[in-house]
Amino acid sequence: MEVGIDSFAAIMPGAADETLSPAGRIANLIEEIETADRCGLDVFGIGEHHRPEFLDSAPAVILSAAAARTKTIRLTSAVTVLSAADPVRVFQEFATLDLISKGRAELVVGRGSFGEAYPLFGLRFDDYDALFVEKLELLLQIRANTQVHWSGKFRPELTGQGIYPRPYQSELPVWLGVGGTRQSFVRAGLLGLPLMVAIIGGEFRRFRPLVDLYREAWRRAGHPVERQRVGVHALGFVAESSAEARDTFFPGWSHMFTQIGRERGWPPVTRAQFDAMCGPGGAFLIGDPETVARKMIEASADLGGVSRFTFQMSSASTEHQAMMKSIELLGTEAAPIAREGLSTGSR
């Protein structure tokens, strides 16, 4: 099982770190990726947003900077908003990242949880699913062929042009990032793509029927069973004690989700909700190393086996040193316990 981190490079006005400059936040982020690499974590992902509270509108650029300062950690988007992007440019950017990192680049593609990218790039949000289907088809064609013949509704046709550079890896890994729609799980299975499930609330086990849909679609399509992979992206944070982990992570989580919730008509979040999500059965991987490892093992069992967990650790007001310590504890204590537990079948 792989364990890693996803970051949205949050820097929200009104949070505890509001005096940190954007340049300072990016510098801290690169140091966090270096630490994850040194501590033995498997993957680091950068999201894509086009909002003032996030600095991740160009994830391939951040990942390329990190590639030059790391050795083994895999570097991925989390997610690339493919519906609002040009698949040619996306492939070129991540193929270049793959060359810089000597084969450590990956893509997680999805439709995104915010809508700002669509008008920004002259697209209609109402078309977001049709855009995604068409652009995913093109991206996979580019991955398989240097010269591409393709036509669609939303982008000018390709008539055999070469798409360069080609990646270091023989096949650039492309995961399909999904939320909670049945269609997305089935699509990933039919296409034979690894699945990354964003679970940011509720209970892990409630997603089992959707993951089973993915596995059944994979089976029907006849893809090799050994290539099937299920990943989970969840909110997580590790500290010396569970109480410290909760107290450190809650203020930033509360600030971020209350602000986002205000835009969507949700009521303010509460500490009771947060603690419930951190407790048994809840979908937050927050606590001391043993508690977090145990929850990963239980979540994997609930979902019928998980190949990768990525922790969304960067809340709005978590101090850099607390983040660095959390990354270290995740890599050196929690992840080894979870891997050992899964290998021996303990729960």
Side-chain angles (χ1 to χ4, degrees):
M1 183 188 70
E2 296 176 335
V3 180
I5 297 169
D6 291 331
S7 176
F8 299 161
I11 183 166
M12 297 181 70
D17 63 356
E18 65 177 328
T19 59
L20 185 65
S21 70
R25 178 68 185 98
I26 291 293
N28 284 352
L29 177 57
I30 299 300
E31 188 177 1
E32 290 160 13
I33 301 173
E34 287 184 280
T35 301
D37 182 52
R38 175 176 53 80
C39 292
L41 289 171
D42 300 292
V43 61
F44 205 107
I46 301 294
E48 180 192 339
H49 301 85
H50 302 272
R51 299 169 57 90
E53 64 267 35
F54 302 115
L55 300 175
D56 59 354
S57 63
V61 177
I62 298 172
L63 293 169
S64 293
R69 292 169 60 173
T70 54
K71 296 179 179 179
T72 62
I73 197 164
R74 299 192 67 78
L75 302 166
T76 183
S77 57
V79 303
T80 294
V81 185
L82 189 60
S83 300
D86 182 348
V88 173
R89 291 299 287 158
V90 168
F91 183 86
Q92 290 175 326
E93 289 168 358
F94 279 83
T96 303
L97 171 63
D98 205 46
L99 295 173
I100 295 169
S101 65
K102 292 184 169 58
R104 293 186 282 131
E106 299 186 2
L107 271 163
V108 181
V109 299
R111 294 173 295 187
S113 58
F114 295 94
E116 288 83 2
Y118 296 87
L120 181 63
F121 297 111
L123 302 167
R124 295 176 65 249
F125 184 75
D126 290 345
D127 294 327
Y128 86 121
D129 190 59
L131 283 161
F132 182 74
V133 170
E134 178 176 298
K135 293 184 177 189
L136 179 59
E137 175 195 339
L138 176 55
L139 178 65
L140 296 178
Q141 284 202 34
I142 295 169
R143 181 175 71 161
N145 303 282
T146 302
Q147 279 76 36
V148 178
H149 294 267
W150 176 91
S151 64
K153 176 181 178 182
F154 299 104
R155 187 199 188 282
E157 67 178 350
L158 294 171
T159 57
Q161 293 94 328
I163 310 298
Y164 304 104
R166 306 308 294 179
Y168 186 94
Q169 299 172 86
S170 59
E171 182 177 84
L172 185 66
V174 176
W175 295 62
L176 189 59
V178 301
T181 62
R182 294 168 57 91
Q183 183 183 21
S184 296
F185 284 80
V186 172
R187 178 182 295 142
L190 293 176
L191 291 172
L193 297 176
L195 181 77
M196 179 57 68
V197 189
I199 303 177
I200 60 171
E203 299 174 314
F204 290 113
R205 62 184 177 86
R206 293 183 62 185
F207 284 78
R208 178 62 181 268
L210 293 169
V211 173
D212 285 346
L213 281 176
Y214 164 72
R215 293 189 171 113
E216 175 59 21
W218 184 287
R219 186 194 65 79
R220 292 201 319 267
H223 300 299
V225 175
E226 63 272 14
R227 290 177 61 90
Q228 186 182 99
R229 302 182 72 191
V230 174
V232 170
H233 161 100
L235 291 165
F237 194 78
V238 189
E240 295 286 357
S241 71
S242 290
E244 180 187 354
R246 294 184 186 194
D247 289 344
T248 301
F249 197 80
F250 173 75
W253 174 83
S254 175
H255 182 94
M256 179 180 294
F257 279 84
T258 295
Q259 179 165 315
I260 293 171
R262 190 178 298 121
E263 299 174 11
R264 301 182 179 186
W266 302 342
V269 298
T270 67
R271 180 63 189 250
Q273 291 173 324
F274 176 80
D275 287 339
M277 289 297 97
C278 295
F284 290 0
L285 299 170
I286 296 174
D288 62 81
E290 186 172 346
T291 296
V292 168
R294 185 174 64 251
K295 288 195 77 170
M296 282 193 280
I297 294 168
E298 292 170 350
S300 181
D302 287 344
L303 295 171
V306 172
S307 302
R308 174 182 290 181
F309 281 96
T310 58
F311 285 54
Q312 210 299 78
M313 300 176 72
S314 58
S315 64
S317 61
T318 300
E319 295 180 358
H320 177 53
Q321 291 308 312
M323 281 287 296
M324 296 284 281
K325 182 62 175 178
S326 184
I327 292 167
E328 182 177 349
L329 289 170
L330 177 62
T332 62
E333 297 190 28
I337 294 170
R339 294 186 188 113
E340 175 65 20
L342 287 169
S343 68
T344 60
S346 64
R347 185 175 180 182

